Amino acid sequence: MKTQSKELAGMGSWTRWLPGLQIARQYEAAWLPHDLMAGLVLTTMLVPVGIAYAVASGVPGIYGLYATIVPLLAYALFGPSRILVLGPDSALAAVILAVVLPLSAGDPARAVIVASLMAVVSGLVCILIGVLRLGFVTELLSKPIRYGYMNGIALTVLISQLPKLFGFSIESAGPLRNLVRIVKAILDGQANWTATAVGAGTLAVILLLKPWKRIPGLLIAVVAATIVVGALALDDSAGVKVLGSLPQGLPSFAVPWIGVAGLGQVVIGGCAVAMVAFADTSVLSRTYAAKTGTPVDPNQEMIGLGAANLAAGLFQGFPISSSSSRTPVAEAAGAKTQLTGVVGAVAVALLLVLAPNLLKQLPSSALAAVVIAAAIGLFQFEDLRRIYRIQQWEFWLSIACFVGVAVFGVIAGIGLAIAIAIMEFLWDGWRPYHAVMGRVDGIRGYHDITRYPEARLVPGLVLFRWDAPLFFANAELFHQRVLEAIAQSPTPVRRIVIAAEPVTSIDVTSADMLAELERALHKSGIELRFAEMKDPVKDKLKRFEMLERFGETYPTIGAAVDAYLEEHAVDWKP
């Protein structure tokens, strides 16, 4: 019995990394018809979307199907969400293309290697962050900043697909310069208006049918475009570019490597992909976890996403993410577990083995329409209007991120977004709110005198509140504000009490500043005391061997005032 218990305990310790096995053990027979049907419905989207996003990412369409099959199988084993669908994603296309295009120099085989290596880097980064339980890192990007870079990525993706929609090609030179080249090419008569009509019609059908979730608008549009082009032989008679025959066979294992030259760009791109993918995946995962009532561990979600990306990279795929378009399809079709994704992956694999020529008449302009429709869905405008109304400076942060992506490109733009996020975080702690407090008649406690000008001050006592942790960036400012509060006191100051409840941490720099401040105030006959100091902060000051020099710390501001009145025999009624 003890041996069996040990075996079960050991099994539990390693199966926690494989949520798919745990779900398989709890699988109910009644779920099987739902998962099978949902998987077949999902397949109708996986194929055209996978091909379209592969082309948008700068690699041949077949590799979009490779990046669909293997990640779905990997996530079914390592992913914690029951119905989340992973695969090629429009939000990542611009990031991948920004790295693939300059490093591949027009060579499709090298483009695949570069994209696969990005997936490996992204997968390793995600797994490392998940194992180290750092799944909170994406929360460091505020919502306005996320909106900014996603709007920039959406615009970049949309612009990148316009040449394919109009039936010509250009040499990429950045989003805005590409737009100028596209307009010039159209004015010069390079557009193929038959291809444009096919693409525009496909886009119109997708957008018109989008509100009806149960109608496969994307599938209807793509199949209709393929039939029209094939039936009328528009590829021969009108020069409409088509996908052509896909290679027959399944993805094979291959370790991607491009050499040291260019490796830095791949690593940066892979890290950027990891950030964007996990930011989107974590939000989508939490949304569907709330719907299904099954909580999801964000760190395991990171591991699942990393495993899927790593598998994609090692089997000739490219970076993938969760899908906000395919996941709702799976849900609406009745998906119960990740078996839906497995069925979809097997169906796509069978298509490659048994019917590789089925989509050879699929027009490139229709694929561009699929990506453009997805890019339109990435734009965030409604909530930005709300943000502009309630806090304009965050709105302009979002615009700055958007402009950064649109002007400097996706990789540089995301770097700018991260830099702005760090600056925003530091600014909030660097220039925090502070207040001198007094007693307001009729209201319990002590309150900010700028909000309550009628507040009564305690003679000879300054109650000073600092609304942030104390650290190196704001230590000097704290010092200045304390001295200013003392200088502005209407009566000679004998004691200053720091209301330290909002101070959640302290570092060596700020502790040394407090020691200097205490010495300077002591020379001036002023006592420095603290009230409402949190125990972890006290522990740090003890470790710094500084707590005793500040005298008694008071549990409340009221206790600090009472002690001052008694010790200095001040006649004042609270």
Side-chain angles (χ1 to χ4, degrees), residues 174-199:
L176 296 185
R177 281 171 290 182
N178 283 353
L179 188 59
V180 173
R181 292 184 179 188
I182 291 167
V183 173
K184 186 175 184 300
I186 293 173
L187 294 177
D188 289 343
Q190 295 183 30
N192 182 323
W193 294 111
T194 304
T196 304
V198 171

Side-chain angles (χ1 to χ4, degrees), residues 99-121:
V99 178
V100 166
L101 208 58
L103 292 182
S104 64
D107 180 0
R110 185 170 173 80
V112 171
I113 295 173
V114 172
S116 296
L117 188 54
M118 284 182 68
V120 170
V121 171

